[in-house]
Amino acid sequence: GESVGLHLPTLSVQEGDNSIINCAYSNSASDYFIWYKQESGKGPQFIIDIRSNMDKRQGQRVTVLLNKTVKHLSLQIAATQPGDSAVYFCAENISNTGKLIFGQGTTLQVKP
Amino acid sequence: DTGVSQDPRHKITKRGQNVTFRCDPISEHNRLYWYRQTLGQGPEFLTYFQNEAQLEKSRLLSDRFSAERPKGSFSTLEIQRTEQGDSAMYLCASSFEGSYGYTFGSGTRLTVV
């Protein structure tokens, strides 16, 4: 069915370490993927996106990797900071639809 | 124009009452989306507009829910005869057509007692 899921509900990392948040999706027709960050009491905030014709995209301190063979998406955060503590969602767009489908989220906790 | 605005931020209502939420998108964006989010879950799609046309509605949007975007600018989401299961965060987002990098508002948290 149409679903996007995340492997771990909570990830705890030490400040300064790198974080990797994973996501599995099920729809082969998905052509666009986005990572969002949501802090408590706020709406989701766009972090980085990737199209299905790419396998890697880098931003500032963040990298998204896409493996279409196993339908897997990951978000890597370099030198994790306390301000990175939040819930992270992956979302997919199925080709020719007008909406994003979100996964359940991974809570990132950064220990000082 | 500093982003997507939603009003009110919080709403507590008694079961059976009607509620209406408002969303003001980024002015240049022609697409507007409504999502619902319950605690610990990702946002669930409800409906979206392109300009004033409502292009898709989720099966989650029962007959008690109605959304409008009469002039292609702000939108309202009305829930009639609220039920406790309607308690959730209602998120609005906007984007340009063809872009999925939505900008979300801070949401309206609805509590039905």
Side-chain angles (χ1 to χ4, degrees):
Chain A
E2 300 175 2
S3 66
V4 179
L6 292 164
H7 293 311
L8 293 173
T10 303
L11 175 66
S12 185
V13 300
Q14 204 71 38
E15 180 179 356
D17 287 352
N18 297 334
S19 304
I20 300 176
I21 301 172
N22 295 306
C23 175
Y25 66 94
S26 62
N27 200 309
S28 300
S30 295
D31 61 356
Y32 183 78
F33 305 87
I34 304 179
W35 282 99
Y36 280 91
K37 171 186 180 184
Q38 188 172 27
E39 297 173 288
S40 181
K42 297 183 179 179
Q45 177 186 4
F46 175 93
I47 300 174
I48 191 168
D49 58 359
I50 188 167
R51 295 202 174 273
S52 59
N53 61 354
M54 303 170 68
D55 53 20
K56 180 179 181 179
R57 189 155 190 236
Q58 288 184 293
Q60 187 177 12
R61 282 201 308 117
V62 294
T63 300
V64 56
L65 299 177
L66 175 63
N67 185 330
K68 294 181 288 294
T69 303
V70 295
K71 298 191 185 71
H72 184 269
L73 192 69
S74 69
L75 176 70
Q76 300 178 359
I77 304 174
T80 313
Q81 302 169 358
D84 295 327
S85 294
V87 180
Y88 289 80
F89 295 97
C90 63
E92 63 179 325
N93 171 253
I94 300 171
S95 182
N96 297 323
T97 70
K99 61 183 185 283
L100 291 176
I101 299 172
F102 285 78
Q104 291 189 340
T106 292
T107 299
L108 177 65
Q109 298 174 339
V110 182
K111 296 178 288 187
Chain B
D1 188 48
T2 57
V4 177
S5 299
Q6 292 190 246
D7 183 70
R9 290 295 309 275
H10 304 275
K11 178 71 176 179
I12 300 175
T13 191
K14 291 184 178 179
R15 190 161 47 110
Q17 298 294 303
N18 299 343
V19 294
T20 300
F21 310 140
R22 177 180 170 123
C23 172
D24 287 272
I26 292 174
S27 56
E28 305 85 49
H29 288 174
N30 62 346
R31 283 197 173 175
L32 185 148
Y33 308 83
W34 285 100
Y35 279 76
R36 180 171 68 187
Q37 186 176 28
T38 53
L39 197 63
Q41 302 296 314
E44 296 174 297
F45 172 79
L46 293 178
T47 188
Y48 87 97
F49 294 83
Q50 182 163 304
N51 301 312
E52 64 274 11
Q54 189 172 17
L55 296 188
E56 188 173 345
K57 288 168 44 173
S58 165
R59 289 187 296 269
L60 294 174
L61 216 63
S62 75
D63 291 344
R64 298 184 296 104
F65 288 70
S66 62
E68 294 183 342
R69 195 183 183 198
K71 298 181 180 179
S73 56
F74 73 91
S75 176
T76 58
L77 177 68
E78 181 183 16
I79 309 174
Q80 296 181 327
R81 305 180 302 282
T82 52
E83 301 172 356
Q84 285 188 319
D86 297 331
S87 295
M89 175 76 82
Y90 290 84
L91 292 163
C92 177
S94 68
S95 74
F96 292 109
E97 179 184 352
S99 168
Y100 298 101
Y102 299 175
T103 301
F104 278 90
S106 294
T108 293
R109 180 165 295 285
L110 173 66
T111 302
V112 181
V113 297

